[in-house]
Amino acid sequence: MHAILLAAVVLATPTPIPAATPQIMPYPAYGTPAPGVAVQHAQSGVPASISLAQAIAIAAGRSPLLAIARSDYRLTQLSVNLARTGYYPNIFGSISTSHSQGGRAATGAGNSGSFGITSNGANVSLRQLILDGGKVIGEIRQAESGQLAGAGTYERSLQTLSFNVASAYYNALLAQAATQLAVQVVHQNEVQENLVTAQLRAGTASRVDLATAQLPTAQARVALVRAQGNEFSALAAFANQLGLDASALVAPVNDTPANPTASLLPQQVLDYDRAVARAFLERPDYLAAQHTAQAAAYSLRATRAGLLPSLNASAGYGTNSTTVTGTDYRPGSNVGLTLNIPIFDQGITWVQIAQAQTNLDIANSELDETKLGVELSVRQALIGLVTAQAALAQTEAELSKAQEILRATQAQYKAGVTTLPLLLNAQVGLTQAETDQLNAIYGLRQAEQAYLFALGENQLAATATLP
C-alpha cells in the first residue's frame, strides 16, 4: 500500500507563472460565494492584459496627481512671463468728459441765471523703466529658477508615478502566482488525503493517519482563500494606480525571464560612489532643490534693490477742450524723467530683506536635506538590490534541496522506514521553498525598480516629456 501511496504523491512542480487573468474559480473558493465582489469590468480603450510600459503610459494620461503636478509646473512658466513684463513700457489711454453745474451769472438783460462747464479730452501716456538697481532682472532670474525647479518637481512626479505603477504591477503578478501555487498545494494535499482515506478503508491506515493528512489540506484551503483575496486586492490597487476604476478588468503581463535571476536592469549595477554621483546629476528632485535655492538667492538680490534709486521715463500726448462748452480742442504733450531715491519707508524694505535672507537659508537647508536623502535612498536601493539578488539565488538552492528531501522521504516511505507525518513535512518544506522563491523573484523586480528610482532613471522619465 505504501507503493500505491507513493505513486500518487504529486511531485515537485515548477514555480507558477502568473496567468493573464485571475483564477477562474468561485471567490472565495471555499465557503459562501460572494457574488459581485470579484467581478471585473472591461474598460474602453484599455486592454485586459498590459505590459509595464503600457501601464505607465495609461497612468500618465489618467493620473489626477500628475495632472496637478502638470498645472503646478504651468504656473511656474506663467510666473516667468509675468516677471518679464517689468521690462516692457506701460502705455495707457484715456477719454474723458465731464459737466459741472455752477451758480448764477448775469445775463445781457440784467437778469442772472445758472451756468455749466463742460470739459472733454483724449490723452495717451507712456511710462518706461530705465534703471531700478537690478530689481526687475532679479525678479526675472528668480522666476526662471523657479521654472527650472518646477520642471524638476514635475519630472520627479512622473518618476514617482512610474515607480508606484511598477510596484503595483509586480505586486499583482506576485499575488496571481501565489494563488496558482496555492491551488497546486491544495491539489497535492487532497490527493494525499484521498489516498490515506483509501488506506483507512483497506485497513492499512489508522484514523490518526487520516487526521494527519486532513490537517495540511485544511491549512492549504485557508491559504488559497487568502491568496484569492490578496490577488483581487492587488489587481484593484493596480487598476487604481492607472487611474481606472478599482473593478477594471486589467492585469499585468508577466515579464520575468525564463531564468528568474536574470536582471531586467538596462545596464550594469553601479557601485555606491558612482551611483550617488549619477543620482546627483540625474535626480530631478535634487536639481529642483538646487534651482529653488538659486531662486531664493535671486529673490534676496531683487529685494535689496529696493534700497537703490530708480529712474523712469514718461511721456504723454493729448487734446483737451478749452472752453466752458467743451469745444475748441488744443493738443498738448509732455516728456519727463523721474528719479526716485528711497530715504525711509518705515523699515519695510529691511524687513523684506530679512525675510528673503531667511527664505534663502531655508532653501539651502532643504537642499542639504535633499542631498542627504539622495545618498540614503541610493544606499538603501543598492543594499536592497544586492540582497534581493542574493536571496533569489539562495531560494534556488532552497528549492532544489526541498525537492531532494521530498524525493528521499518518498523513497523511505515506500521502503517503510519513515512515517506519514515526515512525508507530509517534506511536502510542507517544498511548499515553503516554492513560496520563498516566488517572493524572491518579485522582490528582485521591486528592488530593480527601487534602484532605478533612486538614480532618477526609471522608465517613465524616458517616455514622458514636459508639457
Side-chain angles (χ1 to χ4, degrees), residues 345-381:
D345 64 352
Q346 301 170 300
I348 294 175
T349 301
W350 284 107
V351 173
Q352 292 173 338
I353 291 173
Q355 290 176 329
Q357 180 63 62
T358 302
N359 287 332
L360 176 58
D361 294 340
I362 292 173
N364 285 329
S365 296
E366 290 176 344
L367 175 59
D368 292 339
E369 181 66 20
T370 303
K371 181 176 182 292
L372 292 173
V374 170
E375 293 169 341
L376 176 61
S377 63
V378 170
R379 183 73 171 180
Q380 291 178 330

mmCIF file of all heavy atoms in Angstrom, residues 345-381:
data_model
loop_
_atom_site.group_PDB
_atom_site.id
_atom_site.type_symbol
_atom_site.label_atom_id
_atom_site.label_comp_id
_atom_site.label_asym_id
_atom_site.label_seq_id
_atom_site.Cartn_x
_atom_site.Cartn_y
_atom_site.Cartn_z
ATOM 1 N N ASP A 345 11.193 104.191 4.412
ATOM 2 C CA ASP A 345 9.887 103.604 4.114
ATOM 3 C C ASP A 345 9.340 102.823 5.308
ATOM 4 O O ASP A 345 8.727 101.777 5.153
ATOM 5 C CB ASP A 345 9.950 102.697 2.883
ATOM 6 C CG ASP A 345 10.856 101.499 3.098
ATOM 7 O OD1 ASP A 345 11.552 101.442 4.143
ATOM 8 O OD2 ASP A 345 10.867 100.597 2.239
ATOM 9 N N GLN A 346 9.611 103.362 6.496
ATOM 10 C CA GLN A 346 9.163 102.750 7.750
ATOM 11 C C GLN A 346 9.886 101.426 8.049
ATOM 12 O O GLN A 346 9.443 100.653 8.881
ATOM 13 C CB GLN A 346 7.648 102.500 7.731
ATOM 14 C CG GLN A 346 6.828 103.773 7.534
ATOM 15 C CD GLN A 346 5.381 103.479 7.277
ATOM 16 O OE1 GLN A 346 5.047 102.801 6.311
ATOM 17 N NE2 GLN A 346 4.515 104.007 8.151
ATOM 18 N N GLY A 347 10.976 101.164 7.325
ATOM 19 C CA GLY A 347 11.723 99.930 7.560
ATOM 20 C C GLY A 347 11.155 98.711 6.871
ATOM 21 O O GLY A 347 11.603 97.581 7.117
ATOM 22 N N ILE A 348 10.191 98.931 5.972
ATOM 23 C CA ILE A 348 9.539 97.802 5.305
ATOM 24 C C ILE A 348 10.535 97.012 4.461
ATOM 25 O O ILE A 348 10.563 95.775 4.489
ATOM 26 C CB ILE A 348 8.366 98.304 4.447
ATOM 27 C CG1 ILE A 348 7.266 98.882 5.341
ATOM 28 C CG2 ILE A 348 7.813 97.171 3.579
ATOM 29 C CD1 ILE A 348 6.121 99.509 4.578
ATOM 30 N N THR A 349 11.363 97.723 3.690
ATOM 31 C CA THR A 349 12.317 97.026 2.814
ATOM 32 C C THR A 349 13.306 96.190 3.615
ATOM 33 O O THR A 349 13.658 95.067 3.214
ATOM 34 C CB THR A 349 13.063 98.046 1.941
ATOM 35 O OG1 THR A 349 12.117 98.780 1.159
ATOM 36 C CG2 THR A 349 14.039 97.343 1.008
ATOM 37 N N TRP A 350 13.766 96.729 4.748
ATOM 38 C CA TRP A 350 14.721 95.962 5.551
ATOM 39 C C TRP A 350 14.079 94.688 6.105
ATOM 40 O O TRP A 350 14.729 93.629 6.179
ATOM 41 C CB TRP A 350 15.249 96.828 6.694
ATOM 42 C CG TRP A 350 16.247 97.841 6.239
ATOM 43 C CD1 TRP A 350 16.075 99.187 6.124
ATOM 44 C CD2 TRP A 350 17.577 97.568 5.801
ATOM 45 N NE1 TRP A 350 17.213 99.786 5.642
ATOM 46 C CE2 TRP A 350 18.164 98.811 5.433
ATOM 47 C CE3 TRP A 350 18.339 96.410 5.674
ATOM 48 C CZ2 TRP A 350 19.462 98.923 4.964
ATOM 49 C CZ3 TRP A 350 19.643 96.515 5.201
ATOM 50 C CH2 TRP A 350 20.200 97.747 4.848
ATOM 51 N N VAL A 351 12.824 94.758 6.475
ATOM 52 C CA VAL A 351 12.126 93.551 6.932
ATOM 53 C C VAL A 351 12.000 92.549 5.777
ATOM 54 O O VAL A 351 12.198 91.337 5.950
ATOM 55 C CB VAL A 351 10.739 93.905 7.499
ATOM 56 C CG1 VAL A 351 9.949 92.635 7.823
ATOM 57 C CG2 VAL A 351 10.875 94.759 8.746
ATOM 58 N N GLN A 352 11.674 93.056 4.588
ATOM 59 C CA GLN A 352 11.557 92.180 3.420
ATOM 60 C C GLN A 352 12.900 91.529 3.087
ATOM 61 O O GLN A 352 12.951 90.364 2.672
ATOM 62 C CB GLN A 352 11.027 92.972 2.230
ATOM 63 C CG GLN A 352 9.579 93.426 2.405
ATOM 64 C CD GLN A 352 9.123 94.351 1.294
ATOM 65 O OE1 GLN A 352 9.953 94.993 0.622
ATOM 66 N NE2 GLN A 352 7.823 94.447 1.090
ATOM 67 N N ILE A 353 13.993 92.263 3.253
ATOM 68 C CA ILE A 353 15.327 91.695 3.027
ATOM 69 C C ILE A 353 15.596 90.576 4.024
ATOM 70 O O ILE A 353 16.125 89.505 3.682
ATOM 71 C CB ILE A 353 16.404 92.795 3.116
ATOM 72 C CG1 ILE A 353 16.287 93.746 1.929
ATOM 73 C CG2 ILE A 353 17.805 92.184 3.178
ATOM 74 C CD1 ILE A 353 17.197 94.956 2.020
ATOM 75 N N ALA A 354 15.248 90.818 5.281
ATOM 76 C CA ALA A 354 15.449 89.783 6.302
ATOM 77 C C ALA A 354 14.619 88.542 5.990
ATOM 78 O O ALA A 354 15.077 87.401 6.171
ATOM 79 C CB ALA A 354 15.090 90.338 7.681
ATOM 80 N N GLN A 355 13.398 88.739 5.505
ATOM 81 C CA GLN A 355 12.558 87.608 5.121
ATOM 82 C C GLN A 355 13.176 86.832 3.955
ATOM 83 O O GLN A 355 13.205 85.600 3.958
ATOM 84 C CB GLN A 355 11.160 88.095 4.742
ATOM 85 C CG GLN A 355 10.329 88.598 5.914
ATOM 86 C CD GLN A 355 9.000 89.161 5.466
ATOM 87 O OE1 GLN A 355 8.867 89.704 4.365
ATOM 88 N NE2 GLN A 355 7.992 89.049 6.331
ATOM 89 N N ALA A 356 13.672 87.574 2.958
ATOM 90 C CA ALA A 356 14.286 86.922 1.798
ATOM 91 C C ALA A 356 15.538 86.155 2.206
ATOM 92 O O ALA A 356 15.804 85.058 1.694
ATOM 93 C CB ALA A 356 14.627 87.966 0.729
ATOM 94 N N GLN A 357 16.329 86.717 3.121
ATOM 95 C CA GLN A 357 17.519 86.023 3.599
ATOM 96 C C GLN A 357 17.139 84.748 4.346
ATOM 97 O O GLN A 357 17.782 83.702 4.184
ATOM 98 C CB GLN A 357 18.321 86.940 4.516
ATOM 99 C CG GLN A 357 19.595 86.313 5.076
ATOM 100 C CD GLN A 357 20.588 85.968 3.995
ATOM 101 O OE1 GLN A 357 21.066 86.851 3.282
ATOM 102 N NE2 GLN A 357 20.934 84.687 3.858
ATOM 103 N N THR A 358 16.097 84.823 5.143
ATOM 104 C CA THR A 358 15.630 83.633 5.862
ATOM 105 C C THR A 358 15.142 82.571 4.885
ATOM 106 O O THR A 358 15.417 81.376 5.057
ATOM 107 C CB THR A 358 14.504 84.015 6.840
ATOM 108 O OG1 THR A 358 14.978 85.002 7.753
ATOM 109 C CG2 THR A 358 14.041 82.794 7.617
ATOM 110 N N ASN A 359 14.415 82.982 3.854
ATOM 111 C CA ASN A 359 13.952 82.026 2.843
ATOM 112 C C ASN A 359 15.130 81.369 2.131
ATOM 113 O O ASN A 359 15.081 80.179 1.799
ATOM 114 C CB ASN A 359 13.051 82.727 1.830
ATOM 115 C CG ASN A 359 11.687 83.075 2.405
ATOM 116 O OD1 ASN A 359 11.206 82.404 3.313
ATOM 117 N ND2 ASN A 359 11.069 84.123 1.889
ATOM 118 N N LEU A 360 16.191 82.140 1.903
ATOM 119 C CA LEU A 360 17.386 81.575 1.283
ATOM 120 C C LEU A 360 18.037 80.552 2.203
ATOM 121 O O LEU A 360 18.460 79.481 1.751
ATOM 122 C CB LEU A 360 18.379 82.691 0.945
ATOM 123 C CG LEU A 360 19.732 82.244 0.371
ATOM 124 C CD1 LEU A 360 19.539 81.426 -0.898
ATOM 125 C CD2 LEU A 360 20.626 83.458 0.118
ATOM 126 N N ASP A 361 18.113 80.881 3.499
ATOM 127 C CA ASP A 361 18.678 79.926 4.462
ATOM 128 C C ASP A 361 17.866 78.630 4.486
ATOM 129 O O ASP A 361 18.417 77.523 4.533
ATOM 130 C CB ASP A 361 18.713 80.547 5.858
ATOM 131 C CG ASP A 361 19.676 81.726 5.948
ATOM 132 O OD1 ASP A 361 20.570 81.828 5.077
ATOM 133 O OD2 ASP A 361 19.517 82.543 6.869
ATOM 134 N N ILE A 362 16.536 78.775 4.431
ATOM 135 C CA ILE A 362 15.665 77.590 4.423
ATOM 136 C C ILE A 362 15.900 76.764 3.163
ATOM 137 O O ILE A 362 16.008 75.535 3.211
ATOM 138 C CB ILE A 362 14.191 78.017 4.532
ATOM 139 C CG1 ILE A 362 13.909 78.623 5.909
ATOM 140 C CG2 ILE A 362 13.262 76.830 4.271
ATOM 141 C CD1 ILE A 362 12.526 79.230 6.036
ATOM 142 N N ALA A 363 15.985 77.446 2.016
ATOM 143 C CA ALA A 363 16.182 76.737 0.747
ATOM 144 C C ALA A 363 17.512 75.994 0.733
ATOM 145 O O ALA A 363 17.598 74.862 0.242
ATOM 146 C CB ALA A 363 16.111 77.715 -0.420
ATOM 147 N N ASN A 364 18.562 76.615 1.279
ATOM 148 C CA ASN A 364 19.862 75.938 1.336
ATOM 149 C C ASN A 364 19.818 74.729 2.269
ATOM 150 O O ASN A 364 20.429 73.684 1.986
ATOM 151 C CB ASN A 364 20.943 76.921 1.783
ATOM 152 C CG ASN A 364 21.330 77.893 0.684
ATOM 153 O OD1 ASN A 364 21.285 77.561 -0.499
ATOM 154 N ND2 ASN A 364 21.700 79.112 1.066
ATOM 155 N N SER A 365 19.111 74.874 3.379
ATOM 156 C CA SER A 365 18.977 73.740 4.303
ATOM 157 C C SER A 365 18.178 72.611 3.657
ATOM 158 O O SER A 365 18.503 71.428 3.827
ATOM 159 C CB SER A 365 18.296 74.196 5.595
ATOM 160 O OG SER A 365 19.088 75.143 6.280
ATOM 161 N N GLU A 366 17.138 72.969 2.909
ATOM 162 C CA GLU A 366 16.347 71.947 2.207
ATOM 163 C C GLU A 366 17.181 71.267 1.130
ATOM 164 O O GLU A 366 17.025 70.062 0.879
ATOM 165 C CB GLU A 366 15.102 72.583 1.609
ATOM 166 C CG GLU A 366 14.072 73.001 2.660
ATOM 167 C CD GLU A 366 12.880 73.707 2.069
ATOM 168 O OE1 GLU A 366 12.973 74.151 0.895
ATOM 169 O OE2 GLU A 366 11.846 73.835 2.758
ATOM 170 N N LEU A 367 18.078 72.026 0.498
ATOM 171 C CA LEU A 367 18.980 71.424 -0.481
ATOM 172 C C LEU A 367 19.897 70.414 0.202
ATOM 173 O O LEU A 367 20.121 69.307 -0.324
ATOM 174 C CB LEU A 367 19.802 72.517 -1.166
ATOM 175 C CG LEU A 367 20.888 72.040 -2.143
ATOM 176 C CD1 LEU A 367 20.277 71.212 -3.267
ATOM 177 C CD2 LEU A 367 21.654 73.234 -2.702
ATOM 178 N N ASP A 368 20.431 70.779 1.371
ATOM 179 C CA ASP A 368 21.279 69.836 2.114
ATOM 180 C C ASP A 368 20.484 68.593 2.511
ATOM 181 O O ASP A 368 20.998 67.470 2.451
ATOM 182 C CB ASP A 368 21.842 70.519 3.360
ATOM 183 C CG ASP A 368 22.839 71.619 3.029
ATOM 184 O OD1 ASP A 368 23.395 71.594 1.911
ATOM 185 O OD2 ASP A 368 23.047 72.511 3.875
ATOM 186 N N GLU A 369 19.238 68.804 2.930
ATOM 187 C CA GLU A 369 18.399 67.668 3.320
ATOM 188 C C GLU A 369 18.109 66.766 2.121
ATOM 189 O O GLU A 369 18.121 65.533 2.225
ATOM 190 C CB GLU A 369 17.086 68.187 3.927
ATOM 191 C CG GLU A 369 16.126 67.099 4.390
ATOM 192 C CD GLU A 369 16.662 66.287 5.548
ATOM 193 O OE1 GLU A 369 17.574 66.767 6.246
ATOM 194 O OE2 GLU A 369 16.163 65.168 5.757
ATOM 195 N N THR A 370 17.851 67.373 0.973
ATOM 196 C CA THR A 370 17.609 66.588 -0.239
ATOM 197 C C THR A 370 18.854 65.793 -0.620
ATOM 198 O O THR A 370 18.760 64.633 -1.037
ATOM 199 C CB THR A 370 17.197 67.509 -1.395
ATOM 200 O OG1 THR A 370 16.037 68.253 -1.019
ATOM 201 C CG2 THR A 370 16.885 66.700 -2.651
ATOM 202 N N LYS A 371 20.010 66.405 -0.483
ATOM 203 C CA LYS A 371 21.269 65.719 -0.782
ATOM 204 C C LYS A 371 21.435 64.485 0.112
ATOM 205 O O LYS A 371 21.779 63.394 -0.361
ATOM 206 C CB LYS A 371 22.442 66.679 -0.593
ATOM 207 C CG LYS A 371 23.818 66.079 -0.892
ATOM 208 C CD LYS A 371 24.884 67.153 -0.764
ATOM 209 C CE LYS A 371 26.271 66.602 -1.113
ATOM 210 N NZ LYS A 371 26.742 65.617 -0.117
ATOM 211 N N LEU A 372 21.171 64.658 1.397
ATOM 212 C CA LEU A 372 21.251 63.512 2.308
ATOM 213 C C LEU A 372 20.235 62.440 1.938
ATOM 214 O O LEU A 372 20.516 61.242 2.023
ATOM 215 C CB LEU A 372 21.021 63.991 3.751
ATOM 216 C CG LEU A 372 22.110 64.885 4.363
ATOM 217 C CD1 LEU A 372 21.652 65.409 5.719
ATOM 218 C CD2 LEU A 372 23.427 64.120 4.499
ATOM 219 N N GLY A 373 19.049 62.879 1.540
ATOM 220 C CA GLY A 373 18.021 61.920 1.140
ATOM 221 C C GLY A 373 18.413 61.124 -0.094
ATOM 222 O O GLY A 373 18.138 59.925 -0.186
ATOM 223 N N VAL A 374 19.047 61.801 -1.052
ATOM 224 C CA VAL A 374 19.523 61.105 -2.253
ATOM 225 C C VAL A 374 20.557 60.047 -1.873
ATOM 226 O O VAL A 374 20.496 58.892 -2.332
ATOM 227 C CB VAL A 374 20.115 62.107 -3.261
ATOM 228 C CG1 VAL A 374 20.834 61.375 -4.391
ATOM 229 C CG2 VAL A 374 19.009 62.992 -3.835
ATOM 230 N N GLU A 375 21.499 60.427 -1.032
ATOM 231 C CA GLU A 375 22.533 59.477 -0.617
ATOM 232 C C GLU A 375 21.930 58.277 0.109
ATOM 233 O O GLU A 375 22.316 57.125 -0.141
ATOM 234 C CB GLU A 375 23.548 60.196 0.282
ATOM 235 C CG GLU A 375 24.368 61.253 -0.448
ATOM 236 C CD GLU A 375 25.163 62.133 0.495
ATOM 237 O OE1 GLU A 375 24.831 62.178 1.702
ATOM 238 O OE2 GLU A 375 26.113 62.792 0.030
ATOM 239 N N LEU A 376 20.959 58.543 0.980
ATOM 240 C CA LEU A 376 20.334 57.448 1.725
ATOM 241 C C LEU A 376 19.547 56.529 0.797
ATOM 242 O O LEU A 376 19.660 55.300 0.893
ATOM 243 C CB LEU A 376 19.402 58.021 2.798
ATOM 244 C CG LEU A 376 18.592 56.987 3.594
ATOM 245 C CD1 LEU A 376 19.511 56.034 4.354
ATOM 246 C CD2 LEU A 376 17.620 57.679 4.535
ATOM 247 N N SER A 377 18.761 57.116 -0.102
ATOM 248 C CA SER A 377 17.931 56.286 -0.980
ATOM 249 C C SER A 377 18.791 55.435 -1.912
ATOM 250 O O SER A 377 18.467 54.269 -2.180
ATOM 251 C CB SER A 377 16.970 57.161 -1.793
ATOM 252 O OG SER A 377 17.674 58.038 -2.648
ATOM 253 N N VAL A 378 19.901 56.006 -2.407
ATOM 254 C CA VAL A 378 20.797 55.232 -3.269
ATOM 255 C C VAL A 378 21.432 54.083 -2.482
ATOM 256 O O VAL A 378 21.505 52.941 -2.960
ATOM 257 C CB VAL A 378 21.878 56.138 -3.884
ATOM 258 C CG1 VAL A 378 22.954 55.307 -4.583
ATOM 259 C CG2 VAL A 378 21.251 57.108 -4.875
ATOM 260 N N ARG A 379 21.875 54.404 -1.267
ATOM 261 C CA ARG A 379 22.495 53.367 -0.431
ATOM 262 C C ARG A 379 21.508 52.237 -0.140
ATOM 263 O O ARG A 379 21.834 51.055 -0.293
ATOM 264 C CB ARG A 379 22.960 54.002 0.882
ATOM 265 C CG ARG A 379 23.694 53.060 1.835
ATOM 266 C CD ARG A 379 25.072 52.747 1.342
ATOM 267 N NE ARG A 379 25.860 52.023 2.326
ATOM 268 C CZ ARG A 379 27.100 51.630 2.133
ATOM 269 N NH1 ARG A 379 27.699 51.896 0.978
ATOM 270 N NH2 ARG A 379 27.752 50.980 3.062
ATOM 271 N N GLN A 380 20.304 52.597 0.268
ATOM 272 C CA GLN A 380 19.308 51.587 0.596
ATOM 273 C C GLN A 380 18.884 50.796 -0.641
ATOM 274 O O GLN A 380 18.658 49.585 -0.562
ATOM 275 C CB GLN A 380 18.095 52.242 1.250
ATOM 276 C CG GLN A 380 18.379 52.787 2.637
ATOM 277 C CD GLN A 380 17.179 53.469 3.257
ATOM 278 O OE1 GLN A 380 16.332 54.041 2.558
ATOM 279 N NE2 GLN A 380 17.080 53.426 4.579
ATOM 280 N N ALA A 381 18.773 51.484 -1.779
ATOM 281 C CA ALA A 381 18.377 50.792 -3.005
ATOM 282 C C ALA A 381 19.440 49.781 -3.429
ATOM 283 O O ALA A 381 19.113 48.672 -3.868
ATOM 284 C CB ALA A 381 18.128 51.798 -4.123
#
